[in-house]
Amino acid sequence: MAVIYILFHQPQTIIQICSQTVAGLFHSLSNSFQPAALPFLPGNIGQALGLSDGEGAGRILHRSKRGWMWNQFFLMEEYTGTDHQYVGKLHSNMDKDDGNVKYVLTGEGAGNLFIIDEKSGDIHATKRLDREEKAMYTLHAKVIDRRTNREMEADTEFNIKIHDINDNEPKFAKEIFFASVPEMSEVGTSVATVTANDADDQTYGNSARLVYSILQGQPYFSVDSENGTIKTALPGMDREVKENYQVVIQAKDMAGQMGGLSGTTTVSITLSDVNDSPPRFANHSFRVTAVESTEVGGAIGRIKADDPDIGRNAEMDYSIVGGHDMFNIITDQTTQEGVLVVRKGLDYEEKRDYEFRVEVRNTYLDARFVHGLQFKDFATVRVTVEDVDEPPVFTRNPYVIEVHEDTAAGSFVGVVSARDPDAESKPVKYSIDRHTDLERLFNIDSVNGSITTLKALDREMSRWHNISVVATEINNPRQTTRVPVFIKVLDVNDNAPEFAMSYDTFVCENVKAGQLIQTISAVDTDEPLVGHKFVFSIAPANPNFTIVDREDNTANILTRRGGFRRREMSMYFLPVVISDNDYPIQSSTSTLIVRVCACDSRGNMQTCNPEVLPFSDGLTTGALVAILLCVVILLMIVVLFAALRRQRKKEPLIISKEDVRDNVVSYNDEGGGEEDTQAFDIGTLRHPEAMDANKMRRDIIPEMLFPYRRSSPTKDHNGDVRDFINGRLQDNDSDPTAPPYDSLATYAYEGSGSLAESLSSLESGATEGDQDYDYLTGWGPPFKKLAEMYVAKSPDRET
């Protein structure tokens, strides 16, 4: 029945099974048949066993003795029968069919997947096998003597090979593949290769032999049936017309024959762009309006050409044909637009209309599409300039004015001029920005722009003055223009020359007449046009020194005599007159201080201090200073010593260790609770007169030989509870052993007017057995439970 089922449902598979089974059967027969039976095999079987027709017909073959007559078994996968699948039979020539031989099977799947009949050697498969999980099993067979349990044949290995059937469909690695191909590609251009895998046996039969075909995507693409390569099948595919294609590829096994299994995948193909489309202006005429106040470099408009390409192929470059003096065009790389900018300032009053041609072309060209197409286009641009209310315009920018420093206040410095560039030529007024003239040195006429001085100028204080002049339209104060005015202060010889530096000049006591002691120079803050020329001189009647002008703005100071003595004069003051050569001539007298110093034989200064007089004439200043310093130090030591002695004699205010500030007494006593009636007496607070009457000294020990005993409570059952409380209060007040602090004692008092009388046990002199509680039954339902509790205890009721 299993064979009929397979033939009915899988005819292709049974053909493969039969062909493989016959081959395996031939091999088994060659190992298991007796030699005597070989001549009776059909001719084709004999050929399968490697025998010729002559050998198979007449000659008996002999072979060496073998212990086993098998070596391999074949088993079909995916067995669908209900019984165990028969694999084959093991037989040993040691088996005499007397039941003494026992067949034992070990190895992969032995006892689990494969079982063997110990007596007959028949092998069966117990489970459904899948070749894709495991294609071959290796097992070992033994022949054991049942009586002696000894191996009759050596352990021999054999294989069970699982024959494949076509039970797996081809599968692609992905459900969707992505690929791209340039547009306008030639027919047959490779796009991508997609392959599928079939888990069936690729070495046997056609179960894993795949054939590829295209189910969707024709006529644009085709696929190679053997390797799954997708190619273009239609020429001139244009991305600008259609960019994306969905191609469905099928892989079918059994070489594509009827009954084969198949799998599909989708390939998303995108046409990549090439530069096959030139840029084009949608309108070949553009009109742009620009205001005359547009700054140089400012944008006045944009124009754009269309290019259906994308990315690099759509990049464009704009230019003005022949160039232009007033305008320029640049390319916005982000939007691929041409931006018109002003190259020079516009003037509505001078020219109002401009016209020029703009060219656009692709930046990158594809050589395949250049021929026959012009990848550029042209458009005409007309620019109209609009009038605006412009601020005043100065005739110069900036202004540079020169003025002498000796110019008096109110003198004319210069003039600035501005005009309204509009056609109406509105009047203009002038002013100085006082933030640039904080010292208020200048003033300007608001009508004609004349600049005058308010104060005298000094070039030595400031050589340049930078001010800002503002021109404002009178009719529209918001229209203003400012211009910098640089005022240079010209020099006037109004400063005399003076020493270039402070000189430290000395003369040796052993100096000779005519010896150089100092070279001097001078400086002048003025700047004459021909340069400085200084003249040096001293009084000719000076007996000590003379001066020699070196004609290079320096002079030498020489000694006129020798024999200088510090005792006579330690310092000389030499006035030197320095004059310039500018007009008017300025001169000054500078004093050169010359010290008399002791020098060695080479003229090197040793000391310039005056000589010390002998001791008989008196003490020197240095000695007096040293003596005074010693006296001050001694006085400081005496004062410090006296202060230390005084501090040692002082004693602390508290000498004893028992200082009251350090004696802290802690009381941690606690009360005795509600039962402690002696802890606090509240009656004292309510009756202060009782406290005064019975007040006792608690700071002395009472003169008592025996401790005070508190009297027992009164036995008067008919007395008022208040008397009892007062008695207790009196006892507590007169108790000398009471603690030295207040304590609270609590007492309950019902009063004498209660119908139920007092419930306190303080007045009860009789026992509960002497009480009659029958009256509780007459108090009604609220006291029913109470009546039951006490009435039930009555002796009469108990009996």
Side-chain angles (χ1 to χ4, degrees), residues 520-534:
I520 60 174
S521 62
V523 293
D524 192 344
T525 56
D526 295 325
E527 292 182 357
L529 297 177
V530 295
H532 291 290
K533 177 61 179 177
F534 303 125

Side-chain angles (χ1 to χ4, degrees), residues 288-302 326-330 338-346 383:
V288 180
T289 301
V291 295
E292 63 173 337
S293 61
T294 304
E295 297 180 356
V296 175
I300 60 174
R302 291 172 176 258
M326 302 298 296
F327 301 98
N328 191 17
I329 187 169
I330 59 177
V339 182
L340 294 169
V341 296
V342 177
R343 191 172 182 180
K344 290 184 179 180
L346 303 178
V383 180

